[in-house]
Amino acid sequence: MVVKLRRPVLVGGLGLSFSLWMLQSWQDSLVQVGEFGLLSLLAVGGGLWLLKQNRTQDNSELLDSLPVDRATVFGAIAKAEAVVNQLAQEAENHVETLHATSLLREQVANLTAELDRQEMIAAVTGGKSVGKTTLIKVLKQNLELSDATPLHFQETQPLFVEAAENSDAAVLAEAKTSDVVLFLTNGDLTDSEFQSLQQLKAANQSTMLVFNKQDQYLPEERVCVLQSLKHRVPSIVVATAASPIPIKVRKHQQDGSVQESLEVPAPDIQQLTSVLGEMFAQQGQQLVWATTMRKSLLLKAEAKNWLNGIRRDRAIPVIEQYQWIAAAAAFANPVPALDILATAAINAQMVMDLSGIYQQKFSLEQAQTVAGTMGSLMLKLGLVELSSKAIGTVLKTNAITFVAGGAVQGVSAAYLTRIAGLSLVEYFQQQEVAMNSEGGLNLDKLRQTLQNVFQQNQQIGLLQSFVKQGVGRLLPEAQQPQLIESQTIA
């Protein structure tokens, strides 16, 4: 296979000065591998566990607990518009993306107008059979607000219902577009209800916990449930009975007889209506601004997802190009030190190309530093050793020849280059969308991303497929069957 190295960094990177620099950097790292071998494996497992534990929390921008002002919201809208404009610029001939961009631009325009919205929106949500529909009906009949501040109620789909049309995440996302959420429960909180309330709190969503159907409890039980709710939830907690159960009434007649009947008490929503009226009278404008702020962040995140999709489609072919260049370089050089130098030079050029796609614009010196840093992290975390052993196992054969050994080195170099490239893509996607800015590097985030991407690509099926591709590119066809057959047996 003939590989043409036309990029200046690839050629220059194999020169003496760059070689000395990389050799010194990697030699220092190699000394530490033995000392940190066991710790690195623990770090990989521990890091992944923490990532899974924190997955329930949204990684998008969250509002401060402090009230937002009009200028802050304008700034958020401007940032969302900038990402949408960047998406339009990079969409090119993607018909589906261009259509989405057009819709996003309409939403940006609507956000500015919404800052002066007068109608207040209250989302009523909760599990099944907690009284959402009935409460809305009663509130509409009894709630008296100023004509200048009309209130619109919006019932969501029920939460925590298996095989529901909308997932809990979608229901909560809908609720977050309202000014206040009335979260209904008919007893002490379940774990699912508590987690949903925590998600609303994390999004700085104004939320009121409504203990409905309190009339179905004995007086002392009501007090216990209400105290428990107030203790567990920092938001406002009120108790209601939107549809009280009938009570038996005895009436003594003039003839001395007693007549029994069932009467339905009036709905008990006085506390709720009082709190709602006071909230909208005193905080109405702040609530509207906070809602507009959340919508701006959500719109920006949606535009960023579209943009990341376009950029990833452009990045993957770049990664694949450099991974096979790295494979050919390592396969041709039996000396491990030369493999390291060649791979480092190739990774540096890949870093520059990927940073250009994501508008990070790394300089040559920065790209070299990033390539060296990622190689050092791979060594310290034990990823180089783990990947080589895994690939060697897949390629295991009864007769290990020089060519087979070269295949192990070549495929390993390609695999690690791919891991480095995918890690950079994931890292860039987590950052703020850059507009032709100079890029920096957060080593902690890069380390976590590297661990995560490596774990995702350690599945045996993915490894076998990758090794098969590598063998197909590196070895003559006559030598491929033996290795592929041994791979299948292994």
Side-chain angles (χ1 to χ4, degrees):
M1 181 179 70
V2 179
V3 180
K4 297 181 180 180
L5 305 182
R6 296 182 178 178
R7 300 288 182 134
V9 178
L10 295 181
V11 178
L14 294 173
L16 179 60
S17 60
F18 184 62
S19 299
L20 291 175
W21 168 73
M22 280 305 302
L23 184 58
Q24 181 64 43
S25 174
W26 283 59
Q27 280 178 341
D28 292 342
S29 300
L30 284 168
V31 173
Q32 302 176 30
V33 172
E35 179 181 355
F36 291 94
L38 179 59
L39 293 177
S40 65
L41 292 176
L42 294 175
V44 172
L48 291 169
W49 182 83
L50 289 174
L51 284 172
K52 290 182 179 180
Q53 294 299 310
N54 294 327
R55 190 167 296 170
T56 56
Q57 183 172 355
D58 189 2
N59 287 326
S60 63
E61 293 178 86
L62 301 179
L63 297 173
D64 295 331
S65 57
L66 297 175
V68 297
D69 54 27
R70 192 179 183 91
T72 303
V73 182
F74 265 123
I77 295 174
K79 289 181 179 179
E81 185 176 18
V83 177
V84 173
N85 290 338
Q86 185 69 23
L87 173 63
Q89 181 180 336
E90 298 187 27
E92 297 176 345
N93 297 323
H94 293 75
V95 177
E96 184 179 0
T97 305
L98 289 172
H99 177 66
T101 304
S102 177
L103 295 177
L104 290 171
R105 278 180 164 165
E106 291 180 9
Q107 294 178 44
V108 169
N110 293 335
L111 286 176
T112 304
E114 189 167 326
L115 281 172
D116 299 316
R117 172 169 53 84
Q118 296 300 312
E119 181 186 51
M120 310 301 295
I121 302 174
V124 181
T125 191
K128 190 176 181 180
S129 302
V130 293
K132 296 186 293 295
T133 303
T134 303
L135 180 64
I136 290 176
K137 180 180 178 180
V138 173
L139 284 172
K140 287 181 177 179
Q141 293 173 348
N142 294 271
L143 188 59
E144 295 182 1
L145 292 174
S146 169
D147 293 338
T149 311
L151 181 60
H152 173 71
F153 292 100
Q154 173 182 301
E155 181 179 353
T156 71
Q157 293 290 326
L159 292 165
F160 327 122
V161 178
E162 294 183 4
E165 293 182 2
N166 295 333
S167 66
D168 290 349
V171 172
L172 291 177
E174 177 187 353
K176 291 175 186 177
T177 61
S178 65
D179 301 311
V180 63
V181 172
L182 305 183
F183 193 103
L184 269 62
T185 182
N186 56 8
D188 204 355
L189 292 178
T190 64
D191 183 63
S192 297
E193 289 175 324
F194 181 76
Q195 293 299 327
S196 297
L197 285 167
Q198 290 296 99
Q199 292 180 44
L200 292 171
K201 177 185 175 183
N204 201 32
Q205 170 67 59
S206 180
T207 305
M208 189 183 304
L209 181 59
V210 180
F211 171 32
N212 195 30
K213 302 185 180 182
Q214 64 162 338
D215 58 304
Q216 297 182 7
Y217 292 81
L218 296 175
E220 59 273 15
E221 292 176 336
R222 298 179 199 172
V223 173
C224 290
V225 172
L226 197 57
Q227 287 179 342
S228 176
L229 294 176
K230 291 180 178 180
H231 176 73
R232 297 183 66 186
V233 181
S235 57
I236 299 173
V237 180
V238 297
T240 62
S243 179
I245 56 178
I247 58 175
K248 184 181 292 186
V249 177
R250 292 182 178 181
K251 293 183 179 180
H252 294 272
Q253 305 297 320
Q254 293 182 352
D255 60 1
S257 62
V258 177
Q259 183 178 358
E260 293 185 349
S261 62
L262 293 177
E263 292 187 4
V264 179
D268 181 5
I269 59 169
Q270 290 82 2
Q271 185 184 13
L272 176 58
T273 56
S274 175
V275 172
L276 279 175
E278 183 178 352
M279 176 184 293
F280 288 127
Q282 297 180 3
Q283 307 174 32
Q285 187 65 78
Q286 284 285 338
L287 291 172
V288 170
W289 288 344
T291 301
T292 309
M293 186 76 167
R294 284 192 301 275
K295 289 182 178 180
S296 299
L297 296 178
L298 291 172
L299 191 150
K300 177 184 172 185
E302 183 179 355
K304 182 181 177 182
N305 286 337
W306 279 100
L307 185 59
N308 282 339
I310 292 176
R311 290 176 171 180
R312 189 179 182 89
D313 288 343
R314 293 165 54 196
I316 294 301
V318 172
I319 295 173
E320 292 176 346
Q321 173 191 358
Y322 285 111
Q323 75 188 27
W324 300 128
I325 292 175
F331 182 71
N333 294 319
V335 182
L338 295 179
D339 293 347
I340 291 175
L341 296 176
T343 303
I346 293 165
N347 284 349
Q349 182 63 62
M350 180 179 68
V351 169
M352 288 194 69
D353 287 0
L354 292 179
S355 69
I357 291 175
Y358 285 88
Q359 301 294 325
Q360 299 291 325
K361 299 298 183 183
F362 284 164
S363 65
L364 171 58
E365 183 178 357
Q366 287 176 317
Q368 292 172 341
T369 301
V370 172
T373 299
M374 295 194 72
S376 177
L377 285 174
M378 286 184 176
L379 286 169
K380 288 180 179 179
L381 294 172
L383 306 188
V384 175
E385 182 180 358
L386 288 172
S387 62
S388 298
K389 286 183 178 179
I391 290 172
T393 300
V394 175
L395 279 171
K396 182 173 59 179
T397 180
N398 294 329
I400 301 296
T401 64
F402 168 77
V403 174
V408 173
Q409 291 180 349
V411 175
S412 296
Y415 179 76
L416 291 174
T417 298
R418 182 175 183 83
I419 294 298
L422 293 177
S423 297
L424 280 173
V425 167
E426 293 295 327
Y427 174 83
F428 288 146
Q429 289 184 165
Q430 295 169 13
Q431 307 308 303
E432 278 293 305
V433 175
M435 309 298 177
N436 298 308
S437 63
E438 293 293 328
L441 194 66
N442 186 316
L443 289 181
D444 289 336
K445 287 186 178 180
L446 183 60
R447 182 184 293 107
Q448 293 176 358
T449 304
L450 191 61
Q451 292 173 345
N452 193 29
V453 171
F454 180 80
Q455 183 67 22
Q456 291 172 355
N457 287 270
Q458 275 288 289
Q459 300 177 26
I460 187 63
L462 292 176
L463 274 176
Q464 288 178 340
S465 175
F466 189 85
V467 168
K468 186 175 181 180
Q469 291 182 57
V471 169
R473 287 177 174 269
L474 296 175
L475 298 183
E477 293 184 4
Q479 296 180 358
Q480 292 178 25
Q482 179 187 13
L483 291 176
I484 295 175
E485 181 181 357
S486 63
Q487 165 191 332
T488 305
I489 296 174

